[in-house]
Amino acid sequence: MTELAWAGLSSPVGPLAVGCSPAGVARLDFRGPGGAGRRQGGQASPAQAGPAQAGPAQAGPAQGSSVRASAGLLGAARDQLAEYFTGQRQVFDLPVDWSGCSRAQHQVLSVLYDSVGYGKTVTYGELAQRAVAGPDGISLPARAIGRIMGSPPVPLIVPCHRVVAGSGLGGYSGGTGIEIKRWLLIFEGALPATLDWSPAGA
């Protein structure tokens, strides 16, 4: 994968690290205590993602252009995530870099990104059916959809938290797990608020 520009930001669901390539947002990681990256999409994020980190220190003209493009997308990603968590944004207007995904991941996650909006949910089985109808026509069982949801490279922006089981919430691999998923779904209005829910965070 192309070298990514990284930035860290705080959120109600804990610290996040977002990574962008010139093609789009390529990674979004939940970061554990002490800044250690929680594994998402096969790689840990940089342990200390500061306001912005990008590319090699010495870059030629082509590399410099790529770094500037990545940094521009990074600023937009941070701004839009901040707007989302303050309730000012329901749709992310960001390109996603799918280059680190397998064909099946790309099909399923792009269908999810395009078809399941804010405040909505879809079951693993329903998402499997939508993936079959997508451009690549990939047929996958619901449990395979669950595995893909377990390691998304760009959670939140590609809303794997909106994919639920037919009989409950299902699992979630981001942050502290299922309570993050529950918090996000209540925040978006897809679930009624519980007595202990707080807009300040999970």
Side-chain angles (χ1 to χ4, degrees):
M1 182 182 282
T2 306
E3 184 98 25
L4 303 182
W6 284 94
L9 65 152
S10 60
S11 82
V13 295
L16 304 173
V18 60
C20 292
S21 73
V25 182
R27 292 277 304 282
L28 195 152
D29 289 358
F30 290 84
R31 295 163 58 201
R38 181 176 177 91
R39 195 172 184 272
Q40 291 277 11
Q43 249 182 323
S45 63
Q48 300 292 333
Q53 297 180 13
Q58 306 222 339
Q63 285 179 314
S65 176
S66 294
V67 168
R68 285 191 295 274
S70 300
L73 283 168
L74 187 63
R78 289 188 67 191
D79 289 348
Q80 291 190 29
L81 284 163
E83 291 166 0
Y84 168 81
F85 283 115
T86 56
Q88 299 175 59
R89 175 174 292 275
Q90 297 187 356
V91 178
F92 289 102
D93 182 23
L94 295 165
V96 176
D97 182 350
W98 303 107
S99 62
C101 294
S102 68
R103 179 170 170 260
Q105 283 179 309
H106 182 196
Q107 175 66 18
V108 171
L109 293 173
S110 62
V111 166
L112 172 62
Y113 184 60
D114 292 337
S115 69
V116 185
Y118 189 97
K120 306 295 184 184
T121 60
V122 64
T123 67
Y124 297 103
E126 289 167 345
L127 185 57
Q129 291 174 353
R130 293 186 192 186
V132 171
D136 289 338
I138 293 174
S139 179
L140 294 168
R143 62 181 170 273
I145 301 294
R147 286 195 295 271
I148 290 171
M149 295 302 108
S151 58
V154 192
L156 294 177
I157 292 172
V158 179
C160 52
H161 61 280
R162 297 176 191 156
V163 185
V164 299
S167 58
L169 287 182
Y172 194 64
S173 62
T176 54
I178 193 67
E179 290 310 312
I180 297 291
K181 185 175 191 174
R182 189 188 313 277
W183 188 93
L184 289 167
L185 292 175
I186 292 172
F187 176 71
E188 293 184 355
L191 287 179
T194 55
L195 291 176
D196 60 349
W197 186 83
S198 168

